[in-house]
Amino acid sequence: MICAISGEVPDEPVVSKRSGLLFERRLIERYIEDHGKCPVTKEELSMDDIVLVKTNKVVRPRPLQAASIPGLLGIFQNEWDALMLSNFALEQQLHTARQELSHALYQHDAACRVIARLKKERDESRALLALAERQIPASMAGVAPAAVVSNGKRAMEDEIGPDGKKIRPGINPVMIDELTECNTMLSAQRKKRQVPPSLASIDELERYTQISSHPLHKTNKPGILSMDIHPSKDIVATGGIDTNAVLFDRTSGQILCTLAGHSKKDNHFEICSTG
């Protein structure tokens, strides 16, 4: 006569009408109040399905080990060891559950990021497609009344080429003449341009080496959008993609201060010097 929950001989045994299992009365009552099911079969169970078993009240003899202090200490030691082993198993299960939960949350976050990126690309593609659909009819309406030009020859719009395909419109000869004239004018201006004497030569540029490197802005959002140098002091001010402005002393190689609080990128930065 062993309790199906505690595994010990019950003081007040009861039997379930549905499963025929034996339980300790106080344990099964508490379990039914919390869950309303049988702890073994997981079937619906109520207090009406429990039958009290009448037994003779027999005083159980004390174990032999409990007759002395060393025996009691041995019992306590065994109970403590069992408790520690159970606690260790619970900690291992908790650690495993935390790892599985972290992995599941990471996968969920990665999936949400992928879905968001795909939705953004889809919306951009739809916007480009809609823009192209609006531009194509307008371009075709402007080209339709004019004659089609291909390979330097004028042809009708519905003219078919040797390969059986329609001849696509080309560049108008007037436009070709304008482009050629503009190219000749710009080339003459570039040839007359004088190279300033202060400009470094190719040999000097090849001898340039990096003296030092100073990461001024956040590495997760790298990039400098604007920069200014103090006219009298060797101080450099930079504005970056990370929405921060940094004042840097080039002589000491130290960051003087970082100006935070901007909500957008710093596209323009200028040092104002006062007398």
Side-chain angles (χ1 to χ4, degrees):
M1 304 292 288
I2 302 298
C3 177
I5 298 178
S6 63
E8 298 179 356
V9 178
D11 294 332
E12 292 181 282
V14 292
V15 177
S16 173
K17 296 179 181 179
R18 296 179 178 270
S19 61
L21 295 173
L22 184 71
F23 301 100
E24 178 72 41
R25 182 176 180 178
R26 58 182 178 82
L27 298 178
I28 192 63
E29 287 180 353
R30 184 179 302 174
Y31 192 89
I32 291 175
E33 290 178 359
D34 296 339
H35 303 88
K37 296 181 180 180
C38 177
V40 179
T41 60
K42 304 301 179 182
E43 297 178 352
E44 296 294 334
L45 190 65
S46 62
M47 295 304 300
D48 297 334
D49 299 329
I50 300 300
V51 178
L52 181 63
V53 179
K54 296 182 179 180
T55 58
N56 294 329
K57 299 295 182 180
V58 179
V59 179
R60 289 180 293 179
R62 182 182 299 177
L64 182 61
Q65 295 179 349
S68 61
I69 294 179
L72 292 175
L73 293 177
I75 294 175
F76 294 155
Q77 184 65 44
N78 294 335
E79 294 292 337
W80 177 260
D81 294 341
L83 179 61
M84 289 299 102
L85 291 175
S86 177
N87 189 24
F88 178 73
L90 289 176
E91 289 180 354
Q92 283 187 331
Q93 294 177 0
L94 177 61
H95 181 67
T96 303
R98 285 179 176 176
Q99 287 183 338
E100 293 177 355
L101 179 60
S102 301
H103 183 66
L105 292 177
Y106 176 78
Q107 286 184 336
H108 179 267
D109 182 69
C112 291
R113 291 176 181 271
V114 171
I115 293 172
R117 187 177 70 252
L118 292 177
K119 286 185 176 180
K120 182 179 178 181
E121 293 177 356
R122 181 201 62 186
D123 296 339
E124 292 176 354
S125 301
R126 288 181 176 177
L128 292 175
L129 180 60
L131 180 61
E133 290 178 351
R134 289 194 299 267
Q135 291 178 352
I136 288 176
S139 61
M140 294 300 294
V143 174
V148 180
V149 179
S150 176
N151 297 329
K153 298 181 180 180
R154 302 183 65 82
M156 297 303 294
E157 181 181 2
D158 296 333
E159 185 177 350
I160 306 299
D163 55 354
K165 297 182 180 179
K166 289 185 179 181
I167 299 177
R168 299 297 180 183
I171 302 177
N172 195 320
V174 179
M175 297 178 63
I176 295 176
D177 295 338
E178 292 180 357
L179 292 173
T180 305
E181 182 180 356
C182 182
N183 180 36
T184 304
M185 182 182 62
L186 294 177
S187 298
Q189 292 179 0
R190 285 194 294 268
K191 291 179 181 179
K192 294 179 181 179
R193 186 183 304 170
Q194 298 293 331
V195 179
S198 60
L199 187 65
S201 62
I202 298 177
D203 297 335
E204 292 177 351
L205 291 176
E206 291 179 350
R207 290 194 297 269
Y208 283 178
T209 58
Q210 180 178 338
I211 298 176
S212 61
S213 177
H214 305 280
L216 304 180
H217 295 269
K218 296 180 180 180
T219 56
N220 58 349
K221 294 182 179 179
I224 296 177
L225 300 178
S226 59
M227 184 178 68
D228 194 13
I229 302 176
H230 197 279
S232 59
K233 300 180 182 180
D234 204 356
I235 296 177
V236 181
T238 62
I241 298 177
D242 58 353
T243 68
N244 292 335
V246 179
L247 293 179
F248 176 71
D249 187 0
R250 196 193 65 82
T251 305
S252 61
Q254 301 293 328
I255 296 177
L256 298 180
C257 64
T258 300
L259 307 178
H262 297 83
S263 60
K264 296 182 179 180
K265 303 176 183 178
D266 297 329
N267 295 321
H268 181 73
F269 202 91
E270 184 176 355
I271 297 178
C272 298
S273 60
T274 57

